[in-house]
């Protein structure tokens, strides 16, 4: 599976949009981009995934560049409860997810 | 109802003991997983079962033995516990292997070896 690169941390103000970047320059044509997050002391939580097109659900939006070499997870109105480690994972199969270090998002009041 | 449930939530035991962690999912999924998250917070897959059949077995000591009595349950038995086994163990499940459907995780079992 292709490797992903994420900044180690970022913060944003409560109520503002949080834009979390991810680079996956070696992604293959059949690999999906998955985003999970892990709130302290809890199990990872699925957020969203996509292949080529931008995706939106009740939690977030996923913007994938046309060349698919990078993506951005957008939390439109961050709350304090969105403080967590966010993992960007690239995989052709849901059965083999490789979690990296992720990005720690801190939402400040 | 909890979708993926693990028991116990906390497990403190002595080195050399044998212990088991249980996992159950009520999502009707075909595939279940065990992950280990160490003190550095890296989350690594250990095993995966699809319809009670082992399909992924990463480099894990054979002291760890998963058992799947049916597709809704995947238990993890650990023999001769060592200090390095201290970690949080997460169970997960997903729909058919090879699909793009997400994995759903339990809340973890915190194992501490004294």
């Amino acid at each position: 599976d292709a490797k992903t690169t994420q900044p180690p941390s970022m913060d944003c103000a409560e109520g503002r949009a949080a834009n979390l970047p991810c680079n996956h320059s070696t992604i293959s044509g059949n690999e999906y981009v998955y985003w999970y997050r892990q709130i302290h002391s809890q199990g990872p939580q699925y957020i969203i995934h996509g292949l080529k097109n931008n995706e939106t659900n009740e939690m977030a939006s996923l913007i994938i560049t046309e060349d698919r070499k990078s993506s951005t997870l957008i939390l439109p109105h961050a709350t304090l409860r969105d403080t967590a480690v966010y993992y960007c994972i690239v995989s052709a199969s849901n059965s083999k997810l490789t979690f990296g270090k992720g990005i720690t998002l801190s939402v400040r009041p | 109802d909890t979708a993926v449930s693990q028991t116990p939530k906390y497990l403190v035991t002595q080195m050399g003991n044998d212990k088991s962690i249980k996992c159950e999912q009520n999502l009707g999924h075909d595939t279940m997983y065990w992950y280990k998250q160490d003190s550095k917070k890296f989350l690594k897959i250990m095993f995966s079962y699809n319809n009670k059949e082992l399909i992924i077995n990463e480099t894990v000591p054979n002291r760890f033995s998963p058992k799947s009595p049916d597709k809704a349950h995947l238990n993890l038995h650990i023999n001769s516990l060592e200090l390095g086994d201290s970690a949080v163990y997460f169970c997960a499940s997903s729909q058919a292997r090879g699909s793009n459907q997400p994995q759903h995780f339990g809340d973890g079992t915190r194992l501490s070896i004294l």
Side-chain angles (χ1 to χ4, degrees):
Chain A
D1 293 330
K3 184 179 175 180
T4 63
T5 303
Q6 301 176 255
S9 63
M10 68 175 291
D11 63 13
C12 77
E14 190 176 18
R16 304 299 294 269
N19 298 320
L20 286 69
C22 180
N23 285 326
H24 31 79
S25 57
T26 60
I27 191 170
S28 300
N30 63 341
E31 289 181 315
Y32 286 79
V33 180
Y34 294 87
W35 282 85
Y36 285 77
R37 73 180 181 184
Q38 188 171 22
I39 297 170
H40 181 61
S41 297
Q42 296 182 18
Q45 177 189 23
Y46 165 76
I47 302 173
I48 199 168
H49 75 285
L51 183 62
K52 295 180 183 178
N53 299 324
N54 298 336
E55 302 287 344
T56 295
N57 62 21
E58 65 278 4
M59 289 183 69
S61 295
L62 174 60
I63 308 298
I64 303 175
T65 57
E66 193 168 340
D67 62 8
R68 304 213 316 128
K69 293 185 177 182
S70 65
S71 61
T72 301
L73 179 75
I74 302 173
L75 307 179
H77 305 287
T79 71
L80 297 179
R81 285 180 291 183
D82 291 323
T83 292
V85 179
Y86 287 76
Y87 298 96
C88 170
I89 302 167
V90 169
S91 179
S93 167
N94 68 337
S95 60
K96 194 80 183 285
L97 299 181
T98 302
F99 287 80
K101 296 181 181 179
I103 177 173
T104 299
L105 173 66
S106 299
V107 181
R108 60 181 188 274
Chain B
D1 284 341
T2 303
V4 181
S5 58
Q6 301 178 224
T7 55
K9 187 169 183 176
Y10 298 95
L11 185 53
V12 181
T13 190
Q14 301 274 358
M15 200 165 52
N17 284 350
D18 303 337
K19 291 292 178 185
S20 292
I21 308 171
K22 295 185 177 181
C23 179
E24 175 183 5
Q25 55 93 5
N26 62 6
L27 298 168
H29 288 164
D30 295 317
T31 308
M32 296 185 72
Y33 313 80
W34 276 109
Y35 288 82
K36 177 181 180 181
Q37 188 167 40
D38 60 23
S39 57
K40 295 182 180 179
K41 303 297 184 185
F42 285 113
L43 191 63
K44 294 182 180 178
I45 190 167
M46 301 172 67
F47 300 103
S48 174
Y49 268 73
N50 186 66
N51 277 326
K52 302 193 298 176
E53 181 182 345
L54 180 66
I55 54 171
I56 293 176
N57 184 351
E58 295 296 311
T59 308
V60 177
N62 57 15
R63 298 183 294 104
F64 290 78
S65 52
K67 287 201 170 37
S68 182
D70 55 63
K71 74 174 191 176
H73 296 84
L74 181 62
N75 304 323
L76 184 64
H77 188 75
I78 315 170
N79 290 328
S80 303
L81 281 157
E82 300 177 356
L83 292 176
D85 297 333
S86 294
V88 183
Y89 293 83
F90 289 100
C91 177
S93 71
S94 70
Q95 290 181 352
R97 178 173 69 100
S99 75
N100 59 38
Q101 295 306 302
Q103 294 184 19
H104 297 257
F105 287 78
D107 283 333
T109 295
R110 285 139 191 86
L111 174 62
S112 297
I113 310 301
L114 304 177

